[in-house]
Amino acid sequence: MEQIKAPTIGIGQFTDDFLNRLRTAGDDPADAAVATFFDATDAEHSELFRTLARSSTMAPADEDLPGVGAFVTAMEPWPSWADPRLVRAGQRVFGDWGPQLSMGLWMASLPADYACARGAEPLVRTARLTRNPKRRYVETGQMIIDAMTPGALDSGQRGYRTVRHVRLMHAAVRHVLLRTDEIRDAGAGQIEPWDGALGVPVNQEDLLGCLFSFSVVGLESLKRSGVRLSAQDAEAFVHAWSLIGHQIGIRDDLLPLDWSDSKALWDKICGREYAPSDAGRELTSAAILCMQELLVSKRFRGLPATGIRHYLGNETADLL
C-alpha cells in the first residue's frame, strides 16, 4: 500500500474546559429521533430497549416506528475527510489479526472503558435495566465484526446499519437515564436518579473515550500480544475507527484524529476520568463472568482477570 498521510484536526482545542463542555453534549439527531418515538407513542422505555436489542438490522415492521425507523434507515455519506484507501486498509488489519484483537476487546478495550468512573455510570445502570450483560457484550463484539468487514461502512451496508443502530441505543440510554422518575417497568426501582455532576449520559467525551478504547487500546493490545504493525497499518486502523466514531455520533468538529493525536487525547481523558468506582468494579465483574462462560473450560477461569492485568497493567486493573 502506498504511504498515505492520515488526516487529523489536531488536539489543540481539547483543553480541560473544552472536555468539560463535551460532557454536557449528547447527540442531537439521535436524541431527537428517540424523543419523537416517545412523543408519538405510549410505549414504555423497556419496549424501545427490546426493539433496539432484537438485532443490528431492524425488521421491516420496525422501519415504520416514529422517529426511530427514519433514523436507522437514513443514508448519510461519509465525511469529506474519510479516505476509502485507509478505511479499507484498517479493516484489513482487523481481518489479519482478528483473534488477537478479539482478545484485546474483551480483556483490554471494555475494561479500559470501565476504568473511566463517570463514563461507567450509564453503562452499569443500563446493564441493570436490560438485565442481560452477556448479550450486550456479545453484541458489542458483533458490531465490531460488522463494522470491520471490508465495504461494510458504506451507506446502507451492514456495518453502517449496525453502528447507526448502536448510536440510537445510546440516545435511548440518555433519554431513559435522564427520566428515571418516568420509567414504569419493574426494573425502575434499581435505577437511582441521574446525577448532573456526571454530565449527560453517553456524552461526547465518553464517546471519544470509547472510540479510543477500541482504536488506541486495540493497537496497544496487539503490541502486548507480540504483533508489530507498520506505522501505515496503525494509521489505517485508527482512521477506520475515526469513521466509525463519526457514524456513531461523535461531533463533526472532533474528528478525524490520527494515531499520535488519538493516543495523546486518550491519555488526557484517562488522566481526567480514571478512578476507582463501584460502577467500574460491577461492570468488570460481570465481564469476567461472561468471559468465563464463553471460555467454557474451568481450566481457563483465571484467564480473564489475568488478561486484564496483562493488557492494561496493574495500576488500571487495581481500579477495577
Side-chain angles (χ1 to χ4, degrees):
M1 173 183 173
E2 64 176 294
Q3 294 296 304
I4 304 171
K5 183 173 176 58
T8 186
I9 61 169
I11 59 172
Q13 68 175 329
F14 292 99
T15 63
D16 282 324
D17 285 344
F18 185 75
L19 290 171
N20 288 337
R21 291 196 296 275
L22 292 185
R23 295 203 64 79
T24 69
D27 175 2
D28 290 344
D31 292 338
V34 168
T36 297
F37 172 81
F38 285 115
D39 288 344
T41 69
D42 59 358
E44 295 187 358
H45 290 85
S46 58
E47 181 177 332
L48 182 58
F49 275 116
R50 286 194 297 271
T51 298
L52 296 176
R54 275 207 297 269
S55 72
S56 60
T57 53
M58 303 179 76
D62 294 328
E63 294 177 0
D64 296 327
L65 290 176
V68 170
F71 183 87
V72 172
T73 57
M75 300 293 176
E76 294 188 351
W78 285 11
S80 60
W81 51 258
D83 189 314
R85 296 167 297 176
L86 282 173
V87 172
R88 287 194 299 269
Q91 290 170 322
R92 283 197 298 270
V93 169
F94 183 85
D96 290 342
W97 302 106
Q100 292 89 341
L101 285 167
S102 296
M103 289 285 284
L105 162 69
W106 291 105
M107 300 179 188
S109 295
L110 292 177
D113 261 348
Y114 301 158
C116 294
R118 290 191 289 182
E121 282 295 332
L123 300 178
V124 77
R125 298 187 197 198
T126 306
R128 292 171 189 162
L129 273 177
T130 57
R131 302 176 185 175
N132 195 342
K134 182 178 178 180
R135 177 173 180 174
R136 187 163 53 87
Y137 300 139
V138 171
E139 287 177 343
T140 299
Q142 188 61 54
M143 183 206 80
I144 294 172
I145 292 171
D146 289 348
M148 282 296 179
T149 300
L153 292 175
D154 293 343
S155 295
Q157 297 303 307
R158 183 176 179 84
Y160 170 92
R161 297 196 306 269
T162 302
V163 171
R164 199 164 181 83
H165 187 89
V166 171
R167 181 179 178 183
L168 196 63
M169 178 65 86
H170 291 163
V173 168
R174 281 188 293 273
H175 190 94
V176 168
L177 294 184
L178 292 174
R179 295 167 177 80
T180 51
D181 57 326
E182 301 173 17
I183 300 176
R184 299 188 296 275
D185 63 84
Q190 304 176 51
I191 309 299
E192 60 268 35
W194 185 255
D195 182 356
L198 298 169
V200 171
V202 198
N203 56 66
Q204 288 291 314
E205 187 190 41
D206 288 343
L207 287 172
L208 279 170
C210 183
L211 171 66
F212 299 142
S213 75
F214 292 125
S215 61
V216 174
V217 178
L219 288 176
E220 291 177 337
S221 72
L222 276 184
K223 187 175 180 179
R224 281 278 190 171
S225 299
V227 176
R228 297 294 184 266
L229 294 181
S230 68
Q232 182 78 118
D233 280 347
E235 289 290 2
F237 187 75
V238 168
H239 189 75
W241 273 106
S242 282
L243 176 58
I244 295 170
H246 167 83
Q247 293 185 346
I248 214 166
I250 294 177
R251 274 179 7 193
D252 289 342
D253 61 322
L254 307 181
L255 293 171
L257 294 165
D258 64 11
W259 158 245
S260 176
D261 289 337
S262 294
K263 178 66 167 65
L265 185 52
W266 170 240
D267 288 344
K268 184 177 181 67
I269 289 173
C270 290
R272 287 167 46 88
E273 302 299 332
Y274 266 27
S277 69
D278 291 340
R281 286 187 286 268
E282 182 175 332
L283 288 165
T284 304
S285 177
I288 288 172
L289 289 173
C290 176
M291 285 186 273
Q292 288 173 338
E293 288 183 27
L294 292 172
L295 288 169
V296 181
S297 174
K298 291 183 178 180
R299 280 178 281 180
F300 299 118
R301 289 186 63 82
L303 179 59
T306 302
I308 290 171
R309 289 190 174 273
H310 171 72
Y311 285 118
L312 298 182
N314 287 331
E315 184 176 354
T316 300
D318 286 345
L319 298 178
L320 300 170

